[in-house]
Amino acid sequence: MTFVTENEPKKKERRFYKARDTPNFALCILFGFQQVMVCVSALLTIPFLLASFLCAGEDEYKLRAELIASTFVSSGISTIIQTMFGFRLALLQGTAFAYIPSIESYMKLRENKCNFGANSTVDSSLYYGHLSTIQGALILSSLVPIFIGMTGIVGKLTKLIGPITVSPLILLLVISSVNMTVTRIAQHWVSIIQVATLVATTLYLAETRVPIPGWKNGKFHWFHVTLFGQYPYLIAIMISWLFCVFLTITNLIPEGSAARVDKPTSIEVIQNSAWVAVPYPGKFGFPQFNLGLFCAFLLSAMTSVFESVGDYHAAARVSQERSPPSHAINRGIMSEGLGSFISGWLGPGVGMTTHTENIGVIGVTKVASRWTMCVAGLMLICLGLFTKVGAILSTLPEPIVGGVLGTSMAMVGGVAIANLHQVDLSLSRNMGIIGFSVMVGLVVPEYFRRFPVDTGVDLVNQVLQILLTLQMFVGAMTACILDNTVGGATREQRGLQSRGKIHEVALEDDVYSYPKPIMKLLSKLPYIEYIPFLPKEKRVKANKVTSSAQENGDFAVTIIQNDGNE
């Protein structure tokens, strides 16, 4: 046998897989699995939080496993819809944290206050009833993003909502997660292991090439792979979880410790859960309606919409594609609304949105292939159907969940800051609006938590109390009003794209369009140019732009970008 060592230069650039590229089958599986493991941490966080909010007592682990299964299935379906038919870049769809403050505010209302302990026996109709109400509000609120994407309204809204509004909104979302993060991290120091490992793999070891044995052309090879750079989250999650298993097996931590993975209730859930179960509409009861929660969910849905528009541009940048046209943004928002609608019926209780941390993974691993994300979606569906897997994942210790939540929100906070790179921060006008809106978003909700709204009408009190205690709503509304009423800055200084930016591209070569056979079919539809979410040919006058495209009946077109719109 001949042994050959491949001595690759340390500074050799890793291949960048763009959206249309298809890695080989093994790489698709590995890259897809890593995206799953990255999103699993975030997907687990919401069922953990929701199960604790719903006051299930000793049934909390059972409810948690059910929510995990339905969350995985909803996320997998939504990811495939978004990647293949929606925005058409590699975007993983998962539970939106923006809905959690709304649910938390709703569950803190006097009539919903939990009076049971962790070991109490609670009638399932109580916590399933709360979950049905949450589902009903989600189903109805999800129709809003579907509508604004279908009609193209989102393109109009993005002209009013720029980075000066979006960045405070996202920052306040991060700030709102601090208490939940600290509560979980404080339970045990093991969360530090997860955070430290992630920092080491993403910052210090990302470009370190690790020798991996392999077989090529009938010969044994050593392949030098940037293992830590390509699989940082997978490595961090597995190391921290295995460390908890080690502590449990060796009894280095006492019985009942938050870091143990063998809690009696969680073991019982694993033993009693079915091997295969299919989430279905009505499993937790028929959806109910609550006006206050519905209004709060409308805000959460719009928060996700504006955050996602920023994510779309971020995804285009890290995927090395042109800025997204309006039809792609419209389809993306429609797809997220459809994902939230599916989520409302199947049971996760919160809407679907683009996971920012998975976009960050693309930037680190240089894998933007949409096929790897489709593989990730299929894996998520399989994980949700095999409920034993969801039950095992529910044993992830709470301190690690806190570490995962903290690192995920750290990346989201980084995106909030990055969104300001086009804003002229030398202007006192911009600095003042950003700082003032963040402060108002912190002060006003805290005031109304201490002094609840009292108008004399219970329904009005409920709606206002939920809205005015949401940091995202108060801060984003303040920033939006000020940014659009205070003068002294041009569109470019406010971080908005200049109007009339021209792109010359053949439609069948556009990554945001559908394959050529589908585009030919769509071109035959009457009035297609009036459908905001479909890619279409747009002609411009010769005196406005010189186009090399020939009008020969093909799909060669000139596209004009206008604030992200064609």
Side-chain angles (χ1 to χ4, degrees):
M1 179 182 294
T2 303
F3 291 83
V4 179
T5 302
E6 290 189 0
N7 296 316
E8 301 180 27
K10 288 187 177 181
K11 293 186 178 180
K12 181 180 178 181
E13 286 289 329
R14 283 180 277 145
R15 177 181 175 182
F16 195 104
Y17 290 94
K18 299 194 74 173
R20 285 176 169 166
D21 295 337
T22 306
N24 64 52
F25 181 75
L27 287 179
C28 267
I29 297 296
L30 283 174
F31 289 133
F33 183 63
Q34 177 177 242
Q35 291 283 12
V36 167
M37 289 308 296
V38 172
C39 77
V40 157
S41 59
L43 293 180
L44 288 175
T45 302
I46 301 298
F48 273 62
L49 296 174
L50 194 56
S52 64
F53 289 156
L54 291 174
C55 193
E58 63 181 4
D59 291 340
E60 182 173 329
Y61 282 89
K62 169 178 169 290
L63 178 61
R64 183 188 293 178
E66 292 175 336
L67 292 174
I68 288 172
S70 58
T71 297
F72 284 170
V73 172
S74 300
S75 177
I77 295 173
S78 301
T79 296
I80 294 173
I81 292 174
Q82 180 70 282
T83 301
M84 296 306 296
F85 306 103
F87 192 65
R88 303 263 306 152
L89 292 186
L91 296 177
L92 193 137
Q93 303 295 285
T95 44
F97 191 84
Y99 289 81
I100 290 299
S102 301
I103 296 174
E104 186 178 21
S105 297
Y106 170 71
M107 293 304 299
K108 284 183 177 180
L109 294 175
R110 189 182 303 109
E111 58 270 27
N112 298 329
K113 187 176 180 180
C114 181
N115 297 312
F116 299 99
N119 298 317
S120 302
T121 300
V122 182
D123 191 334
S124 61
S125 63
L126 179 63
Y127 54 82
Y128 280 157
H130 288 315
L131 183 55
S132 298
T133 302
I134 293 171
Q135 286 180 302
L138 178 59
I139 290 171
L140 289 178
S141 64
S142 68
L143 299 178
V144 174
I146 292 176
F147 175 77
I148 66 174
M150 183 179 296
T151 57
I153 294 177
V154 65
K156 306 297 182 183
L157 293 176
T158 54
K159 294 180 181 179
L160 299 176
I161 300 175
I164 292 179
T165 299
V166 173
S167 291
L169 183 153
I170 300 177
L171 283 174
L172 289 167
L173 172 61
V174 173
I175 292 171
S176 68
S177 71
V178 170
N179 288 335
M180 287 181 283
T181 302
V182 172
T183 299
R184 283 155 180 79
I185 287 179
Q187 294 180 23
H188 200 276
W189 54 265
V190 74
S191 58
I192 299 175
I193 302 297
Q194 192 269 343
V195 176
T197 307
L198 187 58
V199 170
T201 53
T202 55
L203 299 181
Y204 292 102
L205 302 174
E207 297 302 322
T208 302
R209 292 185 176 272
V210 180
I212 302 293
W215 195 266
K216 182 179 180 182
N217 299 327
K219 297 178 181 180
F220 181 84
H221 287 256
W222 283 101
F223 296 92
H224 293 78
V225 181
T226 52
L227 191 66
F228 299 111
Q230 291 181 326
Y231 308 103
Y233 297 90
L234 178 59
I235 292 171
I237 293 168
M238 296 307 296
I239 286 178
S240 55
W241 200 354
L242 289 174
F243 186 72
C244 287
V245 173
F246 169 75
L247 293 177
T248 301
I249 294 174
T250 57
N251 283 318
L252 292 176
I253 48 179
E255 293 288 338
S257 171
R260 293 188 73 96
V261 298
D262 63 344
K263 295 183 179 68
T265 48
S266 59
I267 297 299
E268 183 180 351
V269 169
I270 294 174
Q271 292 173 342
N272 296 334
S273 61
W275 281 100
V276 179
V278 180
Y280 58 89
K283 180 177 182 179
F284 305 113
F286 192 80
Q288 305 299 314
F289 180 75
N290 178 276
L291 180 60
L293 184 59
F294 169 71
C295 291
F297 269 17
L298 282 180
L299 170 64
S300 299
M302 295 309 297
T303 299
S304 293
V305 165
F306 300 136
E307 182 183 352
S308 293
V309 171
D311 287 340
Y312 295 161
H313 287 275
R317 285 196 301 270
V318 300
S319 301
Q320 297 184 3
E321 304 291 351
R322 73 180 180 94
S323 296
S326 62
H327 65 79
I329 293 177
N330 291 334
R331 284 201 311 275
I333 298 303
M334 280 180 59
S335 298
E336 289 195 10
L338 181 58
S340 298
F341 186 79
I342 294 171
S343 175
W345 282 106
L346 294 185
V350 299
M352 291 288 146
T353 190
T354 299
H355 271 204
T356 307
E357 51 267 42
N358 288 87
I359 297 176
V361 171
I362 293 175
V364 173
T365 62
K366 299 185 178 181
V367 180
S369 169
R370 63 167 69 105
W371 295 107
T372 62
M373 201 59 77
C374 288
V375 169
L378 291 173
M379 287 182 176
L380 284 170
I381 294 173
C382 291
L383 286 175
L385 295 179
F386 292 95
T387 50
K388 285 286 187 186
V389 176
I392 293 172
L393 291 174
S394 70
T395 65
L396 187 69
E398 288 259 338
I400 295 181
V401 175
V404 169
L405 179 61
T407 51
S408 299
M409 287 296 106
M411 293 191 66
V412 174
V415 171
I417 297 172
N419 278 340
L420 292 173
H421 80 284
Q422 293 180 332
V423 177
D424 186 352
L425 295 179
S426 66
L427 287 181
S428 59
R429 179 251 190 211
N430 292 345
M431 292 290 288
I433 292 175
I434 294 169
F436 185 74
S437 60
V438 171
M439 181 55 68
V440 171
L442 293 173
V443 172
V444 172
E446 182 60 28
Y447 174 85
F448 283 104
R449 288 191 193 99
R450 299 183 185 186
F451 307 101
V453 176
D454 186 9
T455 64
V457 182
D458 289 340
L459 180 60
V460 175
N461 290 345
Q462 188 181 87
V463 173
L464 291 178
Q465 185 66 24
I466 292 174
L467 293 180
L468 293 176
T469 53
L470 278 177
Q471 296 172 333
M472 298 176 300
F473 169 74
V474 177
M477 184 63 67
T478 302
C480 183
I481 292 174
L482 292 177
D483 190 34
N484 286 283
T485 57
V486 176
T490 64
R491 290 180 58 84
E492 289 75 14
Q493 289 174 322
R494 292 168 57 197
L496 299 172
Q497 293 183 14
S498 58
R499 307 182 70 169
K501 185 179 178 181
I502 299 171
H503 287 276
E504 197 172 298
V505 61
L507 200 55
E508 71 269 21
D509 293 331
D510 188 9
V511 70
Y512 300 104
S513 297
Y514 294 115
K516 190 171 183 178
I518 298 178
M519 293 310 305
K520 283 187 175 182
L521 181 63
L522 290 176
S523 68
K524 298 177 182 179
L525 297 177
Y527 307 111
I528 185 175
E529 65 272 16
Y530 300 110
I531 303 178
F533 57 88
L534 289 180
K536 63 188 77 69
E537 179 179 9
K538 293 196 89 174
R539 293 182 175 87
V540 294
K541 294 180 180 179
N543 61 352
K544 287 188 177 182
V545 61
T546 301
S547 173
S548 61
Q550 300 296 322
E551 298 296 332
N552 55 7
D554 292 331
F555 288 94
V557 298
T558 299
I559 296 177
I560 291 186
Q561 285 287 92
N562 185 352
D563 298 330
N565 297 323
E566 293 175 339

